Amino acid sequence: MPSTAVTAAPAAPGLFAPRLRAMTVGSVALISLLAFEALAVGTAMPTVARSLDGLALYGIAFGGPFATGVLAMVVSGIWCDARGPKGPMWHGVAWFVVGLLIAGTAPVMSALVVGRVVQGFGSGLLSVALYVIVGQAYPQDLHRRIFAAFAAAWVVPSLVGPAVAGLIVQHLGWRWVFLAVPAVAVPAGLLIHPGLRSLGRSAATSPPTGAAARIGWACGAAVSAALLHIGGQQRGATALVLVAFAVVGLLVCAPRLLPAGFLRAARGLPTVVGLRGLASAAFVGSEVVIPLMLSRERGLSPTAAGLVLTVGALAWSAGSWLQGRIPVPASRASLPRAGLSCITVGTATVALAVRPELPVAVAVAGWAIAGLGMGLLYPPLSVLTLELSAPGEQGRNSSSLQLSDSLFAATVLALTGAVLAAGSAPGPASYTTTLVVTAGLALLGALLAGRVVVDGGVRQAG
């Protein structure tokens, strides 16, 4: 009996299809390196400050790169829209690597700060350029999956980065925390290069109207961000003054760097950008409190308290994987709403763990739910940002998304530090206050999530 041959339909190209394989590996590697450096430096810096007798510059060693990163995000967005992402990507790699080399060979703390500032500028250029590369190089149906890979590239260093950095400091010396990374960053950039050559040049040939003013506002936001970061590490009146000046500066400058209608949660992109900031503030504000609360109120060791954060990171990774493989929801608001609802429930559940009669497992479960929510939320917001951007706006809008993330998180961290330092010592009231506020931020986001949809669906901006 003759057999009937059935020809399978060709599989849709994936992230590791021949055309995209090298770019995917290189992009994810660069994101991982940015994440590793952001986390590893915190582990190494106490040793660095002692070695270089630089405790007086400890705050600026963190605030400086954060500020230049804010400025670089804006510059990169303008650059990408005017000339395409190739220039910002290569300059980002160069500034990042040069900054690491300066920091790793620094003879004094002031030189290390210079290296950190240069490194931060490179990180800001890279982070925005990679988003624009996704928008131009990957088909739209792969956007959720590549952004899920980016999320995993941040989560994995959060699990192993501090431990690896500690081993490097202990056995090789703190300088190798900086000097080892360029050996991976340069090859990762070279992997992206062939794919960059296939990208078309931007239709624009000069910076968009208002670019100079935007950079000026970015400088103001960068200075305010540095003051906020430094103030968050101080105590007493000094902290209050620095944080107050910083918050005022951000309130003046930041809205001019974010989409019009951001403050009133206008439909579409303004709400997408706002939700990213609210989610980041809710999660980071809770994350900084949890180890302290569990150690002081529930008697957990630092290692055990840290493992609770690890559970949240693993759940974040699981949520990212899940959202990349489920069918696209009927409404683009579904995943952001689900994610923010999980963060709301999760942080509120963690707040209950302040009560001694409840088991610590309540906090673990709550933080897992919050982490799952972040995984469900972050990639879809990145996808929506590209979908709502005309080709000449992808850089600006990607920079707005990341600025919202960074500035909201930094503001909440500084204010959380002020709340925890308000009394003679942190206690149940301060922990509960912080966690209730962060849950409220997430709840606000969940209530606003339906506003990511424009006119019943997603449409291109411009």
Side-chain angles (χ1 to χ4, degrees), residues 66 73 154 271-289 316 336 339-340 343-344 347 367 370 373-375 377-378 381 400-414 416 434 437-439 441-443 445-446:
F66 184 77
M73 288 176 193
W154 272 97
T271 295
V272 172
V273 170
L275 295 188
R276 177 72 169 256
L278 289 171
S280 178
F283 193 82
V284 172
S286 302
E287 187 176 47
V288 75
V289 168
W316 185 331
L340 284 156
I343 299 169
T344 304
T347 51
W367 198 235
M374 291 295 279
L377 172 77
Y378 259 48
L381 290 182
S400 293
L401 186 74
Q402 295 181 47
L403 281 169
S404 177
D405 188 319
S406 297
L407 296 179
F408 268 68
T411 302
V412 167
L413 282 175
T416 298
T434 301
V437 169
T438 56
L441 292 174
L443 176 60

Side-chain angles (χ1 to χ4, degrees), residues 75-349:
V75 171
S76 187
I78 294 170
W79 196 348
C80 285
D81 288 340
R83 300 294 179 88
K86 288 181 278 190
M89 201 286 290
W90 280 117
H91 274 264
V93 171
W95 284 74
F96 183 63
V97 167
V98 169
L100 290 169
L101 295 175
I102 293 172
T105 57
V108 294
M109 190 69 171
S110 57
L112 183 131
V113 169
V114 170
R116 291 276 291 145
V117 166
V118 172
Q119 173 195 338
F121 192 78
S123 298
L125 290 176
L126 261 178
S127 62
V128 173
L130 288 171
Y131 269 53
V132 178
I133 288 170
V134 168
Q136 295 188 6
Y138 288 80
Q140 187 170 326
D141 59 356
L142 288 181
H143 285 180
R144 284 204 297 161
R145 295 184 65 183
I146 185 62
F147 283 125
F150 282 8
W154 272 97
V155 169
V156 172
S158 74
L159 296 174
V160 303
V164 170
L167 290 173
I168 292 173
V169 170
Q170 183 177 350
H171 296 289
L172 297 177
W174 63 264
R175 294 184 185 277
W176 287 102
V177 172
F178 300 98
L179 296 177
V181 172
V184 182
V186 173
L190 292 175
L191 284 174
I192 300 175
H193 180 64
L196 287 177
R197 288 184 302 190
S198 67
L199 298 183
R201 187 180 179 86
S202 172
T205 56
S206 60
T209 303
R214 187 170 169 80
I215 291 175
W217 290 116
C219 289
V223 172
S224 300
L227 288 176
L228 186 65
H229 204 95
I230 295 169
Q233 299 185 22
Q234 309 300 316
R235 291 293 179 267
T238 301
L240 292 176
V241 170
L242 289 176
V243 169
F245 271 107
V247 170
V248 170
L250 289 176
L251 288 174
V252 171
C253 298
R256 291 164 172 82
L257 301 172
L258 301 175
F262 168 80
L263 291 177
R264 56 183 174 83
R267 284 190 172 274
L269 188 67
T271 295
V272 172
V273 170
L275 295 188
R276 177 72 169 256
L278 289 171
S280 178
F283 193 82
V284 172
S286 302
E287 187 176 47
V288 75
V289 168
I290 289 171
L292 187 63
M293 180 189 77
L294 294 179
S295 296
R296 294 177 65 93
E297 302 301 321
R298 307 307 299 268
L300 268 64
S301 67
T303 301
L307 286 175
V308 177
L309 299 186
T310 300
V311 170
L314 291 172
W316 185 331
S317 184
S320 296
W321 178 88
L322 178 63
Q323 67 77 38
R325 283 156 179 81
I326 61 177
V328 177
S331 170
R332 286 290 197 265
S334 297
L335 284 172
R337 183 182 291 114
L340 284 156
S341 297
C342 285
I343 299 169
T344 304
V345 172
T347 51
T349 301

